[in-house]
């Protein structure tokens, strides 16, 4: 089946939804696509802490300093300037005033600003401790109300470019242009062709490449891998941010214990009830998260333990009762047999956020014509070598808007006659059957390789080992991919191995420790 749109947006987190809303309001023919069965199934949905927003005692200068300090001044300056000026007010102008979100209030009835590590003022608004699902669901409702078209259960396979796909040989000699995407209709097991004047990749991050992650299993770097195959620039791939505190539990996986607990006083402790963070940083428990994650990892290695503890029970002094302020963490831990009002929470660091990605400017433009990247899939340079907490939702929001604005005012349009030279996705004649067990096994092997050799602390030897292992997996997976019946899991597996290789190659190239890329000299 062949479709045609002004804009195809892949991914339905905060960045993709915001972009779709602005485009639709301007009257463009836009479709928002997700590989999941529910529109809300995105990384945004799981965000807990909150979103940086304007506040009277804050300033663009202060926020700029905090972002640059966390990012080790590896940040792209124009992106930081743009963010600190236009980002914080947008939370009130768009999310509160247009979309109608009501963030949590203090007992006095004012907006309850909270703190997280490395922020010099309390500038984060939140909805209890599940800000992400509140924003995600509100944006979906709003988008539906204004008539945004959604397609669920469609897995993007590859970008269509003139150079790669056209049967008109003259297209080979033209500048490379993105003309749409091939996507698998998961329900009908059939690839469809989506032509578009512009494609926006808002596919989120790569957390699922790691054994411990706060991300959902869908975070397999799909957009980054697609953009890479089409020839777009991918940058800063060595910067994988590890969150210091995910729940360590036999049955509950991928559950974040928000940094805002430490913002509200919680302390990290070892198995002897000893607070250890001041041994690693004068900022103690509120040191930047790369420092905290490494400190916990170091403590785990030195004591031979698989986890440490976070104690909020003995330190919380907030005006909102603990069970309400952290309602989701409270109830999830309670379900797992832990009462956070009475006892410390077992935690382990986990892959959380990708600071690298598809190179994009302040209008979301990638290095390929007609291709935009926003949200975690993009690397705008805002975060530099390490992201300041609670800036990612706002980055998605702001770049969703700026990208839509760029597309709306864009004069260039592809002559749609050129689409007729693009064939549909070719299905191999001799199809190999799909074995879910093998796919699962391969994903697990990648996750362990990445966790052990390209994780919180990296060595030359470990990275070389990861490179060799990934070469082997990649060879096998690519061969299988060519002959296998297309399936969402296979597409994700291919994307996972491509992104893992990009991360390891970048980590090997950058021999200096900076931000969340830490190279140990020991090997
Ligand atoms: C958290 O709540 O700790 C996560 C916030 C973030 O990653 O920005």
């Amino acid at each position: 089946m062949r479709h045609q749109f002004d804009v195809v947006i892949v991914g339905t987190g905060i960045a993709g939804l915001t972009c779709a809303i602005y485009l639709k309001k301007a009257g463009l023919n836009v479709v928002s696509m997700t590989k999941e069965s529910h529109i809300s199934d995105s990384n945004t949905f799981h965000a807990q802490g909150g979103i940086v927003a304007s506040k009277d005692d804050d300033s663009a200068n202060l926020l700029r300093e905090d972002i640059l300090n966390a990012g080790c001044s590896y940040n792209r300056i124009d992106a930081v300037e743009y963010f600190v000026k236009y980002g914080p007010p947008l939370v009130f102008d768009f999310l509160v005033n247009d979309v109608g979100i009501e963030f949590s209030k203090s007992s006095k009835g004012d907006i309850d600003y909270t703190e997280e590590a490395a922020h010099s003022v309390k500038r984060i608004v939140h909805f209890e401790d599940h800000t992400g699902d509140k924003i995600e669901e509100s944006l979906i409702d709003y988008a539906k109300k204004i008539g945004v078209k959604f397609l669920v259960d469609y897995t993007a396979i590859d970008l269509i470019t003139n150079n790669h796909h056209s049967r008109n040989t003259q297209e080979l000699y033209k500048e490379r242009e993105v003309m749409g995407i091939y996507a698998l209709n998961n329900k009908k097991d059939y690839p469809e062709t989506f032509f578009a004047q512009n494609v926006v990749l808002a596919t989120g991050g790569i957390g699922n490449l790691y054994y411990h992650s706060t991300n959902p299993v869908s975070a397999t770097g799909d957009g980054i891998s697609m953009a890479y195959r089409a020839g777009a620039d991918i940058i800063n791939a060595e910067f994988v941010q590890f969150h210091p505190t995910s729940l360590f539990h036999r049955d509950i996986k991928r559950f974040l214990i928000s940094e805002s607990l430490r913002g509200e006083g919680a302390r990290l402790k070892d198995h002897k009830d000893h607070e250890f963070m001041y041994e690693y940083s004068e900022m103690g428990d509120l040191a930047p998260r790369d420092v905290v994650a490494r400190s916990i990892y170091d403590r785990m290695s030195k004591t031979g333990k698989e986890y440490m503890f976070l104690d909020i029970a003995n330190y919380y002094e907030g005006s909102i009762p603990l069970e309400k302020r952290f309602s989701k963490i409270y109830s999830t831990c309670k379900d797992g047999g832990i009462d956070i009002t009475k006892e410390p929470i077992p935690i382990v660091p986990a892959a959380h956020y990708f600071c690298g990605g598809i190179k994009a400017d302040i209008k979301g433009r990638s290095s390929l014509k007609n291709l935009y990247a926003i949200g975690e899939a993009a690397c705008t340079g805002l975060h530099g070598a390490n992201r300041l907490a609670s800036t990612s939702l706002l980055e998605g929001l702001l770049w969703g808007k700026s990208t839509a604005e760029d597309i709306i005012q864009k004069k260039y349009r592809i002559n749609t006659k050129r689409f007729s030279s693009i064939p549909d996705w070719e299905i191999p004649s001799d199809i190999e059957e799909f074995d879910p067990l093998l796919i699962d096994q391969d994903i697990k092997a990648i996750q362990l390789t990445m966790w052990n050799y390209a994780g919180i602390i990296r060595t030359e030897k470990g990275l070389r080992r990861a490179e060799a292992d990934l070469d082997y997996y990649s060879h096998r997976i690519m061969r299988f991919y060519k002959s296998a019946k297309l399936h969402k899991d296979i597409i994700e597996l291919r994307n996972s191995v491509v992104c893992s290789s990009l991360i390891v190659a970048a980590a090997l190239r950058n021999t200096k420790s900076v931000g969340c890329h830490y190279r140990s000299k020991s090997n």
Side-chain angles (χ1 to χ4, degrees):
M1 205 184 291
R2 290 162 85 84
H3 313 260
Q4 210 169 296
F5 291 95
D6 290 331
V7 190
V8 170
I9 301 176
V10 190
T12 53
I14 187 169
L17 290 171
T18 304
C19 190
I21 288 169
Y22 278 97
L23 289 169
K24 182 70 193 173
K25 280 182 164 180
L28 272 75
N29 178 19
V30 52
V31 65
S32 277
M33 185 182 286
T34 169
K35 62 182 179 177
E36 305 301 331
S37 302
H38 300 284
I39 303 170
S40 64
D41 208 339
S42 64
N43 235 344
T44 296
F45 186 87
H46 300 274
Q48 294 183 357
I51 180 166
V52 164
S54 331
K55 192 178 177 220
D56 288 345
D57 67 356
D58 196 8
S59 71
N61 278 343
L62 263 184
L63 179 56
R64 181 198 301 110
E65 287 315 301
D66 288 349
I67 291 173
L68 293 176
N69 282 339
C72 306
S73 296
Y74 210 88
N75 318 61
R76 178 172 169 163
I77 300 300
D78 65 349
V80 177
E81 296 293 349
Y82 181 68
F83 179 88
V84 300
K85 184 164 178 200
Y86 297 107
L90 191 60
V91 173
F92 292 103
D93 293 348
F94 181 63
L95 290 182
V96 175
N97 297 339
D98 286 357
V99 181
I101 298 176
E102 287 189 30
F103 290 104
S104 287
K105 303 243 167 60
S106 70
S107 53
K108 289 192 195 126
D110 312 320
I111 289 273
D112 183 54
Y113 287 92
T114 192
E115 187 170 2
E116 292 194 25
H119 283 273
S120 51
V121 293
K122 289 189 170 197
R123 55 163 76 97
I124 299 160
V125 299
H126 61 97
F127 183 77
E128 296 176 359
D129 63 346
H130 49 104
T131 314
D133 59 22
K134 182 77 176 169
I135 293 178
E136 178 74 16
E137 280 163 358
S138 308
L139 284 174
I140 293 170
D141 288 348
Y142 188 81
K144 281 184 173 164
K145 230 181 277 163
I146 63 165
V148 171
K149 179 179 172 62
F150 286 102
L151 285 179
V152 296
D153 287 310
Y154 274 85
T155 307
I157 307 169
D158 261 321
L159 290 163
I160 297 171
T161 78
N162 56 336
N163 296 166
H164 290 103
H165 299 100
S166 182
R167 286 197 173 132
N168 176 352
T169 45
Q170 293 314 301
E171 292 283 2
L172 255 182
Y173 306 106
K174 292 186 182 160
E175 179 190 359
R176 185 165 301 172
E177 276 182 72
V178 168
M179 294 183 151
I181 64 164
Y182 293 115
L184 178 72
N185 180 331
N186 300 346
K187 287 271 184 281
K188 295 199 174 134
D189 265 355
Y190 204 82
E192 297 180 16
T193 306
F194 290 82
F195 294 112
Q197 295 292 334
N198 299 283
V199 173
V200 181
L201 294 174
T203 46
I206 52 86
N208 196 53
L209 309 185
Y210 284 87
Y211 181 64
H212 288 293
S213 174
T214 60
N215 295 182
V217 288
S218 55
T220 48
D222 302 332
I224 298 159
S225 175
M226 284 166 65
Y228 174 72
R229 284 192 293 274
D233 293 342
I234 309 295
I235 56 168
N236 289 3
E238 66 271 44
F239 299 117
V240 177
Q241 182 175 68
F242 292 85
H243 196 286
T245 56
S246 74
L247 181 65
F248 183 86
H249 195 276
R250 203 190 57 187
D251 303 319
I252 306 168
K253 302 291 177 205
R254 301 169 180 279
F255 186 69
L256 178 69
I257 304 294
S258 174
E259 194 157 80
S260 46
L261 269 81
R262 280 180 287 124
E264 303 278 352
R267 310 268 173 91
L268 285 156
K269 292 179 168 177
D270 63 18
H271 289 245
K272 292 189 174 149
D273 204 33
H274 176 72
E275 289 175 22
F276 57 83
M277 267 316 298
Y278 279 98
E279 291 170 32
Y280 292 92
S281 164
E282 60 187 19
M283 293 172 81
D285 293 274
L286 288 180
R289 61 174 57 156
D290 61 313
V291 176
V292 183
R294 271 196 304 278
S295 308
I296 298 172
Y297 193 76
D298 182 67
R299 206 65 173 196
M300 282 163 52
S301 314
K302 287 194 173 133
T303 57
K305 303 287 182 195
E306 279 186 275
Y307 59 93
M308 290 285 131
F309 293 101
L310 184 69
D311 184 352
I312 182 88
N314 285 305
Y315 303 98
Y316 182 68
E317 288 180 349
S319 67
I320 308 170
L322 186 54
E323 303 86 304
K324 175 142 177 70
R325 171 64 185 87
F326 295 107
S327 57
K328 189 164 176 187
I329 295 174
Y330 174 77
S331 61
T332 306
C333 288
K334 197 89 207 228
D335 289 347
I338 303 154
D339 184 345
I340 69 164
T341 65
K342 297 202 171 77
E343 59 193 317
I345 311 165
I347 51 89
V348 65
H352 182 58
Y353 189 86
F354 193 41
C355 301
I358 306 160
K359 186 178 175 183
D361 67 10
I362 57 172
K363 292 171 176 177
R365 295 178 295 210
S366 77
S367 59
L368 290 184
K369 198 166 171 178
N370 311 328
L371 180 67
Y372 293 79
I374 50 177
E376 195 174 345
C379 180
T380 61
L382 170 67
H383 308 302
N386 189 26
R387 181 179 63 93
L388 181 68
S390 289
T391 51
S392 49
L393 290 175
L394 187 52
E395 184 192 31
L397 185 74
L398 183 60
W399 262 262
K401 176 172 184 271
S402 71
T403 292
E405 286 168 350
D406 193 68
I407 292 173
I408 292 162
Q409 61 72 47
K410 197 175 159 190
K411 299 271 179 305
Y412 177 78
R413 283 187 74 82
I414 304 168
N415 181 341
T416 53
K417 285 192 191 126
R418 291 166 69 198
F419 293 152
S420 58
S421 310
I422 308 280
D424 287 336
W425 182 266
E426 232 171 86
I427 298 171
S429 48
D430 195 13
I431 285 180
E432 199 175 321
E433 264 321 305
F434 160 78
D435 181 349
L437 259 183
L438 287 182
I439 307 281
D440 193 47
Q441 203 44 47
D442 280 348
I443 285 278
K444 286 203 174 104
I446 292 171
Q447 287 171 336
L448 278 174
T449 296
M450 293 301 285
W451 181 255
N452 289 327
Y453 305 127
I456 297 174
I457 295 180
R458 298 156 173 185
T459 63
E460 170 83 20
K461 204 164 146 190
L463 287 167
R464 291 277 168 223
R465 169 73 191 266
E467 183 183 46
D469 287 358
L470 290 168
D471 266 0
Y472 170 68
Y473 304 144
S474 180
H475 175 73
R476 235 168 2 110
I477 291 167
M478 296 308 169
R479 212 179 42 187
F480 174 58
Y481 180 86
K482 285 208 174 89
S483 58
K485 183 166 179 213
L486 267 187
H487 187 281
K488 174 172 173 273
D489 293 356
I490 297 177
I491 296 169
E492 288 181 332
L493 178 63
R494 174 170 81 141
N495 292 336
S496 299
V497 78
V498 168
C499 282
S500 298
S501 301
L502 288 170
I503 292 167
V504 168
L508 271 166
R509 265 197 311 273
N510 189 351
T511 53
K512 286 208 184 84
S513 290
V514 53
C516 53
H517 169 60
Y518 190 84
R519 292 278 308 248
S520 162
K521 292 191 178 57
S522 61
N523 278 292

